[in-house]
Amino acid sequence: NAGVMQNPRHLVRRRGQEARLRCSPMKGHSHVYWYRQLPEEGLKFMVYLQKENIIDESGMPKERFSAEFPKEGPSILRIQQVVRGDSAAYFCASSKRDQPQHFGDGTRLSIL
Amino acid sequence: TQLLEQSPQFLSIQEGENLTVYCNSSSVFSSLQWYRQEPGEGPVLLVTVVTGGEVKKLKRLTFQFGDARKDSSLHITAAQTGDTGLYLCAGENTDKLIFGTGTRLQVFP
């Protein structure tokens, strides 16, 4: 069974550009979560989605960040007008209902 | 704000030694997971504990969930160099995970 797939693994953007991070959940998993790990810090919850619905976005910054999980295709975390402080590792996790979350290997975003 | 404090933050030991990592909170969680994370990779699930007082064993690793479901411990017996890594506890709160501060373990041969 393929695990949670994230791409790209590394992404470099200049300040002001847009960053799109993709996550394909494990087969059979309908719940997707995004977490951010800043350098030398722990993982922090950002958003929880099910197909076509945002369930909990309490950890998302109010501006520039958005997430979706369409009926078909991967979940997308989108960061508009990136700034240096957005540099971090972004992890996606997926699960079945009421089951533990399994993580992908992350996308490392660097802002020049 | 819910916080999970892990101790110690760093641990360096010789192969063959035993160790215990602690995960403490003032909040109650419906379940608690332990993950291990290698550099450049995502966290890998080791175990989930759900019931207060529960003890689970995974080869040389023993996990315990506190009676009040606020704290947990991970005990490793006869550590090996392959146990080196970042150990993270994570409490579940309405489907999202609150991660601990992490314990970085280094096992020397």
Side-chain angles (χ1 to χ4, degrees):
Chain A
N1 285 332
V4 178
M5 304 300 292
Q6 290 189 247
N7 67 82
R9 291 295 311 276
H10 300 273
L11 182 61
V12 180
R13 285 286 177 266
R14 296 188 181 280
R15 279 178 293 173
Q17 291 185 320
E18 179 180 286
R20 279 182 176 242
L21 288 62
R22 286 176 291 279
C23 169
S24 295
M26 286 178 70
K27 187 176 181 181
H29 287 194
S30 57
H31 300 238
V32 166
Y33 314 79
W34 286 92
Y35 294 82
R36 179 164 66 174
Q37 189 171 37
L38 293 168
E40 304 305 320
E41 290 189 20
L43 285 115
K44 296 286 194 293
F45 168 80
M46 297 181 75
V47 63
Y48 162 38
L49 310 104
Q50 294 178 23
K51 284 286 187 183
E52 300 184 282
N53 287 306
I54 295 175
I55 307 302
D56 182 345
E57 56 181 350
S58 58
M60 287 277 269
K62 293 288 182 278
E63 297 176 347
R64 302 187 297 108
F65 284 71
S66 62
E68 63 176 10
F69 188 18
K71 190 176 179 182
E72 301 290 338
S75 175
I76 306 286
L77 179 67
R78 182 182 176 206
I79 311 173
Q80 295 178 288
Q81 298 174 323
V82 295
V83 300
R84 286 252 170 89
D86 297 332
S87 294
Y90 291 83
F91 290 96
C92 171
S94 73
S95 75
K96 292 182 179 181
R97 181 189 168 96
D98 296 330
Q99 294 295 307
Q101 296 177 29
H102 294 267
F103 284 78
D105 282 335
T107 293
R108 273 132 192 97
L109 175 64
S110 298
I111 309 301
L112 301 180
Chain B
T1 304
Q2 290 180 302
L3 288 173
L4 274 168
E5 296 285 339
Q6 284 184 240
S7 62
Q9 193 176 354
F10 299 97
L11 190 54
S12 290
I13 60 171
Q14 294 281 164
E15 207 169 22
E17 290 184 31
N18 301 333
L19 67 115
T20 302
V21 176
Y22 299 93
C23 173
N24 296 298
S25 176
S26 57
S27 303
V28 176
F29 294 99
S30 56
S31 70
L32 192 137
Q33 281 93 47
W34 283 91
Y35 290 84
R36 192 172 103 179
Q37 187 178 19
E38 306 281 358
E41 298 181 7
V44 174
L45 180 67
L46 297 174
V47 80
T48 299
V49 285
V50 178
T51 308
E54 183 177 2
V55 177
K56 278 192 175 178
K57 292 197 173 189
L58 188 68
K59 296 183 181 178
R60 294 175 295 101
L61 278 60
T62 302
F63 304 85
Q64 184 160 9
F65 201 12
D67 290 340
R69 291 188 288 130
K70 292 182 180 181
D71 52 84
S72 181
S73 64
L74 157 61
H75 182 79
I76 301 179
T77 304
Q80 299 176 357
T81 55
D83 295 328
T84 292
L86 177 67
Y87 289 82
L88 298 163
C89 64
E92 184 178 344
N93 174 7
T94 56
D95 294 310
K96 65 185 178 222
L97 293 177
I98 309 297
F99 276 87
T101 46
T103 294
R104 196 166 294 279
L105 173 65
Q106 178 79 51
V107 182
F108 292 96

